[in-house]
Amino acid sequence: MPKLGVNIDHVATLRQARREFDPDPIKAAKICEQAGADSIVAHLRADRRHINDSDIRRLRKTVATRLNLEMSINREIVKIAVSIKPDEATLVPEKRAEITTEGGLDVIRHFNRITKAVETLQKNGIAVSLFIDPIKKQIKKAKESGATVIELHTGRYDLVRTKAAQARELKKIKDMTRYARDLGLIVNAGHGLKYHNTKAIARIPGIEELNIGHSIISHAVFVGLAAAVKEMVRIIKK
Ligand code: PXP
């Protein structure tokens, strides 16, 4: 049974709509943990559009499960990660104009820079995960970078609209999970996972953790955060 990491970025997105104090992502993290989240995920973007430096510092002090910092390999952000020491860092590609993370890291193309960031973070006791598309060549290169964890991008599985295409994407994720596990990597998955499409991913043998944000925070607007997290925990764990 996979674990659930709840991404709380969009609690901060709502706060930033007024640039005041509410809702507080630190309070949200606590509620998520109490409702059964196994880790808290937050993305410190270079443009600080939602989570900011103070949030990350406060999360480090208050998160009782595990803090997974999503981040780019930007030098300033790596420096912040080293000083804050999250339990885990998930390296993602980041483009200023994108609405959310588009596609996985191209580990082949940026191998040297990624390897350097992996080394720096690991030297400081931070486990490193690479967010990549379910493609053999990328997984192989991720292993060569020294990272011990990968997160398979499930965005395409979410976006395709026909049953046949969904089945194809699901099979790709299943096959690539097995391939990565055989290489000795820990495999997580995430992006675009919702209440209706998570069960099939959670059933894939060998996936360690699912990282889910937008759907849980959206559902929380109507049912409350604790109920929204509990409902996702039920889907994943039963
Ligand atoms: N995993 C990674 C690496 C991400 O970048 C994101 C989005 O921040 C997520 C998971 C969560 O995606 P979603 O908000 O679509 O659930």
Side-chain angles (χ1 to χ4, degrees):
M1 268 182 309
K3 298 186 183 113
L4 170 64
V6 178
N7 180 315
I8 54 163
D9 290 351
H10 296 305
V11 174
T13 300
L14 190 54
R15 176 191 62 193
Q16 294 312 103
R18 283 292 165 94
R19 300 208 176 84
E20 290 180 7
F21 306 105
D22 292 318
D24 184 9
I26 284 69
K27 185 170 173 185
K30 188 52 62 200
I31 292 170
C32 291
E33 290 184 309
Q34 284 164 351
D38 298 291
S39 70
I40 298 298
V41 189
H43 186 172
L44 184 69
R45 296 185 72 105
D47 63 9
R48 310 298 198 269
R49 67 174 71 159
H50 36 54
I51 293 290
N52 61 36
D53 303 55
S54 152
D55 293 332
I56 293 293
R57 273 195 297 273
R58 291 194 299 142
L59 285 169
R60 174 67 294 182
K61 286 195 191 125
T62 54
V63 165
T65 53
R66 271 179 304 119
L67 177 62
N68 180 350
L69 178 65
E70 258 186 43
M71 54 179 276
S72 69
I73 54 172
N74 169 307
R75 220 178 314 145
E76 181 219 348
I77 301 286
V78 172
K79 222 187 243 179
I80 294 171
V82 163
S83 77
I84 287 171
K85 295 197 179 15
D87 300 286
E88 185 167 346
T90 299
L91 304 186
V92 300
E94 198 174 294
K95 292 189 212 122
R96 199 161 272 269
E98 70 190 358
I99 292 174
T100 182
T101 316
E102 295 166 351
L105 269 180
D106 189 342
V107 192
I108 299 166
R109 189 159 172 203
H110 303 293
F111 184 73
N112 291 341
R113 286 178 62 212
I114 290 172
T115 302
K116 196 157 175 268
V118 170
E119 257 173 40
T120 306
L121 293 162
Q122 286 179 338
K123 235 191 280 162
N124 283 278
I126 304 163
V128 183
S129 171
L130 303 187
F131 182 55
I132 54 178
D133 292 318
I135 296 172
K136 224 176 211 178
K137 280 195 273 188
Q138 293 290 347
I139 296 171
K140 190 161 173 281
K141 218 58 188 166
K143 172 73 183 175
E144 283 173 33
S145 77
T148 53
V149 189
I150 58 168
E151 179 175 330
L152 293 177
H153 196 319
T154 50
R156 200 171 152 70
Y157 159 75
D158 168 52
L159 285 178
V160 293
R161 284 291 163 257
T162 66
K163 284 252 181 285
Q166 270 164 6
R168 260 199 313 277
E169 291 306 318
L170 194 62
K171 181 170 183 324
K172 224 189 271 174
I173 295 164
K174 206 180 278 182
D175 293 347
M176 290 306 104
T177 299
R178 194 177 323 116
Y179 176 69
R181 297 267 305 191
D182 287 347
L183 290 179
L185 290 162
I186 294 169
V187 182
N188 298 336
H191 207 283
L193 293 179
K194 303 187 167 69
Y195 289 84
H196 70 272
N197 67 8
T198 295
K199 190 154 80 179
I201 296 285
R203 280 186 176 152
I204 295 176
I207 293 190
E208 188 81 12
E209 187 158 49
L210 300 178
N211 291 322
I212 308 179
H214 190 266
S215 61
I216 292 178
I217 305 305
S218 302
H219 195 41
V221 170
F222 301 110
V223 303
L225 186 53
V229 171
K230 281 181 189 164
E231 206 173 316
M232 191 57 92
V233 168
R234 239 188 340 264
I235 289 169
I236 291 174
K237 310 218 171 181
K238 295 217 166 131

